Amino acid sequence: MSTQTLERPSVPPPGPPGAGRRPAVVIRSALARWGLRGTALLYLGLVVALPTVAVITRGFEDGLQSLRDALNAPGAREAIVLTLVLAAVTAIINIVFGTLIAYVLVRYRFPGRGWLSTIVDIPFAIPTLVTGVMLRALYGPNSLIGGFLEGNGIHVIFAQLGILLALLFVTLPLVVRTVQPVLLEIDEAEEEAARVLGATRWYTFRRVVLPKLRSGIAAGGLLAFARAIGEFGAVVIVSGNIIGKTLTAPVLIFQLASQFQPNQAAAVATLLFAISFVLVLVTERLVGARNKDAV
Amino acid sequence: MSNPGELRVPVLPSGTRRRLVHGGFIAIALLYVGILVIAPLIGIAWAVFQAGWSTIVSTLRQPDVQHAFYLTGVITVITVIVTSIFGVIVALVIARDRFPGRALMSALVDLPLAVSPVIVGLMAVVLFGLGGWFEPWFTSQGIRILFALPSMVLVTIFICIPFVIREVVPVLQEVGITEEEAARTLGASSLQTFFRVTLKNIRWGLLYGIALTTARSIGEIGAVLIVSGQITGQTETATLYVLRAFDQFQDDPGFVVALTLALVSIVLLVLIETFKRRQERMQRT
C-alpha cells in the first residue's frame, strides 16, 4: 500500500542553503559504515529480494507453460481484463475528484476543511477488509440503501459496481496526497496574473495550473492504478467472486494458491507484479523529476 | 484585484459568481467523500446498532474472537519492533551513505508497495511450502513456518517495510548533519550521538512511520490469509475472523469485529495526524 504519499511538507530545509542537501557521509568509522550497510542489505535482501526472486523463478520454472495453463483456466483471462479495466476506471474517477479535493483543500478556507482533510486519510487507516464489510453493511441486500437499490435494479454487492466503490475508497487518498504537495508549490500569483489579464477561470486552470499539476496528477493516477490492480481485502468480500463476472486477478491468485497450484499462481502473480512495479518506477521518475524542478 | 469578468458583461455580480464557484467546488468535494467514505462508516455503525447490545457483548466474549485479537496484537508488536529497528538502519544508510547499489536499495524499499498482498503470501508459500526452497531444511529441523505464526509475521514485515523508512529518510535529509557533527566535536561517541541527537531529531517521523505500520499490520488480510491456513483459535487473526464470519453467513458477529477494527484504526489515524503535525512544526522551527 499506498501510504508512500501521505502529505509531506515541502518546506525548504532550514539553516544555510544547501545544508541539508550536502551528500553527507558522516558515518566515519569504516567498521560502522560496513556494519550498517551490511545489515541494511541483508535485511532487504532476505525479506524483500529473495522472496520476490523465488516467486518469479517459480512462475517460469517450466518456461511459459504455467502462465499458459493459468490463462487457459476458465475465467482467468476475464479476471485479468476486469482487474485492469476497473483499475483504469478507478484511476480516472479519482484523478478528477482527487484533484478537485486537493484544490479545495489547498486554495479555499472554509469551516470543515480540517475535517475534510482527516476524512481523506480514513481509507489509509481502515483495514481493507473492513472497507468491504462497510460497503456490505451499507449496500447489502438486507440494508436500507441496498434494498432500495436492488428494488430499482441496481446491484452493488456481488457486482462490479461494488468492486469499483471499494477500489475508489481505497485509492482516494493516494491521488489527493500526491496532487496536494504539487499544488502547494504553485505560486498563486501566476493564477492571479492570468485572471488580471482577462483569462477566464477555466482557461486559467487549463493553461496555468494544469500544466504544472500534470506530473503530480499522473503520479497519483498511476499509484491508484497500481494499488487497484493488487487490491484484495476490500474486493474479496463485496465481489462474490463469480467466475467470468466479478472474479478479479488477486482473488484468482488466491484461489490458485489455495488449490495447490503455486506455479500457475506465481505465473499470474509475476504478470501483475511486473505491471504494477513498472508503474511505481514510472511514478518515482515523475515525482523525482518534479522535485528536481522545484529545487 | 481588477476583475476580468467586467469585460465580458457577467450575468451575475463577480462576487456572487466567485462565491457560487467556490461553494460548488466545496460542495462537490464534501459530497464525494460523504458518499464514498462517510456513508459506509454510517452503514456499519447502523448494522451493529441493529444487531444490538447483546450481540456485541456475546461476540466480544467468544474465545475465538479474543484469541483473534490477541494474535493480531502479537503480529503487530513483532512487526513494529522489527521494522522500526531495521528501518532506522536502512534509512541511515540511504540518507547518509554513498555507495554503488544505493539506488537498488531504495527500489527494494519501494517494492512492497507495488506488490499485491496476495502475491506476498504466495512468496512465503513458494519459499516454505511443499517443494519450496527452504522447506526441506525447516522440516528436518521440525520448525513449522507455513500455517503458523512465523510466516504470518514474515509476510506482515514484508508489507510494512516501507513505512518507517520512507518517513525517516526525508527527515534525516532535512535535519542535515550539523548537530551530529557538533556532538561529535564535543566528544560524544557514535552511539551517544545517535541516541541523543539523531534519534531525537527523527522521533516524530519515526512515530509516524510506526503508527502507519501498526494500522497496516492490524488490517492485513491477503497475505496472512494465504499463509495462515485459517485454523480457528490458532492462526486466525481479527481480519481472518471477519472473513470467516461472512463466509459462514454470520454477518452480525462479523460486523461487530469489523467495527471494532475500524474504531481502533480511527484512533490510530488521530495519532498519525498528531505526529504529522508535530513533525511539520519541528521542521518549520
Side-chain angles (χ1 to χ4, degrees):
Chain A
M1 150 183 147
S2 63
T3 328
Q4 70 273 40
T5 35
L6 270 186
E7 199 170 11
R8 194 168 287 144
S10 47
V11 278
R21 302 274 168 196
R22 176 154 43 125
V25 183
V26 278
I27 311 161
R28 284 218 191 75
S29 89
L31 186 71
R33 194 157 61 223
W34 283 103
L36 285 176
R37 268 182 208 173
T39 314
L41 280 173
L42 203 66
Y43 172 63
L44 293 176
L46 278 181
V47 185
V48 182
L50 179 79
T52 310
V53 172
V55 154
I56 296 173
T57 39
R58 186 65 174 264
F60 295 92
E61 226 169 37
D62 30 36
L64 291 174
Q65 194 52 45
S66 300
L67 187 62
R68 232 173 280 140
D69 289 347
L71 290 181
N72 284 332
R77 281 164 207 262
E78 287 92 333
I80 291 171
V81 171
L82 176 72
T83 305
L84 293 175
V85 169
L86 281 179
V89 175
T90 302
I92 292 167
I93 296 181
N94 265 344
I95 278 177
V96 174
F97 287 100
T99 308
L100 181 89
I101 292 171
Y103 192 83
V104 164
L105 281 176
V106 171
R107 287 293 152 84
Y108 299 157
R109 293 292 171 271
F110 56 96
R113 186 176 154 273
W115 280 102
L116 180 62
S117 180
T118 305
I119 291 169
V120 165
D121 277 339
I122 284 182
F124 271 153
I126 297 242
T128 53
L129 183 75
V130 174
T131 303
V133 171
M134 294 194 314
L135 289 174
R136 219 160 133 156
L138 185 64
Y139 300 109
N142 299 324
S143 74
L144 213 57
I145 299 179
F148 173 75
L149 290 177
E150 301 266 321
N152 287 293
I154 303 170
H155 303 284
V156 179
I157 299 305
F158 303 148
Q160 293 173 0
L161 186 58
I163 306 178
L164 182 66
L165 280 176
L167 296 178
L168 286 174
F169 182 100
V170 172
T171 57
L172 175 68
L174 292 176
V175 181
V176 177
R177 297 307 180 208
T178 316
V179 175
Q180 200 175 9
V182 190
L183 261 175
L184 274 170
E185 275 167 29
I186 296 177
D187 192 357
E188 225 172 324
E190 287 180 39
E191 279 168 71
E192 261 171 47
R195 300 276 291 146
V196 170
L197 293 170
T200 63
R201 215 179 299 272
W202 172 236
Y203 190 82
T204 311
F205 181 77
R206 236 179 52 220
R207 300 303 291 263
V208 180
V209 182
L210 206 54
K212 298 195 174 170
L213 274 186
R214 205 173 284 146
S215 67
I217 289 177
L222 287 175
L223 283 176
F225 186 80
R227 174 72 202 270
I229 289 181
E231 184 50 45
F232 176 81
V235 169
V236 71
I237 212 164
V238 294
S239 71
N241 311 322
I242 307 160
I243 290 174
K245 248 179 94 185
T246 62
L247 181 71
T248 65
V251 181
L252 174 75
I253 295 174
F254 163 66
Q255 290 182 347
L256 287 171
S258 46
Q259 287 157 9
F260 302 104
Q261 297 281 0
N263 289 25
Q264 293 187 21
V268 179
T270 307
L271 189 69
L272 270 200
F273 165 71
I275 298 173
S276 46
F277 192 56
V278 167
L279 288 179
V280 168
L281 282 185
V282 172
T283 315
E284 294 279 303
R285 271 288 154 78
L286 286 173
V287 175
R290 193 193 80 225
N291 287 346
K292 231 168 273 162
D293 293 345
V295 172
Chain B
M1 203 177 99
S2 96
N3 188 353
E6 281 165 4
L7 302 172
R8 295 187 311 273
V9 195
V11 186
L12 288 167
S14 65
T16 316
R17 254 186 68 122
R18 194 173 60 226
R19 240 170 282 139
L20 275 178
V21 173
H22 284 207
F25 280 176
I26 293 170
I28 295 172
L30 291 176
L31 199 67
Y32 188 68
V33 297
I35 292 173
L36 195 66
V37 182
I38 298 298
L41 274 171
I42 296 173
I44 192 173
W46 186 78
V48 170
F49 179 75
Q50 289 283 310
W53 185 246
S54 59
T55 316
I56 300 177
V57 174
S58 67
T59 304
L60 295 179
R61 279 206 182 134
Q62 272 184 49
D64 285 356
V65 172
Q66 290 178 353
H67 184 269
F69 278 119
Y70 167 76
L71 188 61
T72 297
V74 169
I75 293 174
T76 305
V77 169
I78 301 177
T79 304
V80 163
I81 293 173
V82 173
T83 55
S84 313
I85 293 175
F86 287 99
V88 169
I89 293 176
V90 174
L92 273 173
V93 173
I94 288 180
R96 295 286 155 83
D97 202 351
R98 291 291 176 273
F99 63 100
R102 194 175 137 271
L104 177 76
M105 206 179 230
S106 298
L108 281 181
V109 171
D110 288 338
L111 191 136
L113 299 171
V115 182
S116 170
V118 188
I119 301 181
V120 180
L122 183 64
M123 288 173 179
V125 172
V126 166
L127 283 178
F128 302 108
L130 218 55
W133 292 1
F134 298 146
E135 187 263 339
W137 190 81
F138 280 106
T139 310
S140 71
Q141 299 293 308
I143 304 171
R144 213 189 165 116
I145 305 280
L146 217 55
F147 309 133
L149 187 66
S151 62
M152 301 171 77
V153 172
L154 265 178
V155 293
T156 313
I157 291 175
F158 181 104
I159 286 165
C160 292
I161 274 180
F163 301 134
V164 164
I165 302 174
R166 293 183 66 114
E167 294 313 320
V168 172
V169 166
V171 181
L172 276 175
Q173 279 168 344
E174 258 168 50
V175 294
I177 54 164
T178 326
E179 285 180 41
E180 286 168 24
E181 274 178 343
R184 295 298 296 266
T185 315
L186 294 171
S189 72
S190 307
L191 282 181
Q192 273 176 322
T193 313
F194 174 76
F195 282 107
R196 300 253 177 102
V197 180
T198 317
L199 202 57
K200 200 170 142 265
N201 279 336
I202 61 171
R203 66 183 186 278
W204 294 118
L206 180 61
L207 281 173
Y208 181 29
I210 287 177
L212 291 173
T213 306
T214 311
R216 188 62 213 266
S217 57
I218 288 177
E220 183 41 46
I221 172 90
V224 171
L225 175 63
I226 289 188
V227 299
S228 75
Q230 275 186 293
I231 310 163
T232 306
Q234 280 184 43
T235 62
E236 191 173 65
T237 63
T239 46
L240 291 178
Y241 174 87
V242 175
L243 190 63
R244 181 170 64 93
F246 281 97
D247 278 346
Q248 297 174 348
F249 304 103
Q250 304 259 316
D251 286 17
D252 284 349
F255 283 136
V256 172
V257 175
L259 183 65
T260 315
L261 286 173
L263 291 178
V264 171
S265 26
I266 287 175
V267 170
L268 274 171
L269 179 66
V270 173
L271 283 180
I272 290 173
E273 304 266 313
T274 315
F275 294 148
K276 195 161 71 181
R277 227 163 288 142
R278 287 283 172 91
Q279 192 200 318
E280 278 166 27
R281 203 173 305 150
M282 224 174 74
Q283 279 168 342
R284 237 173 271 140
T285 50

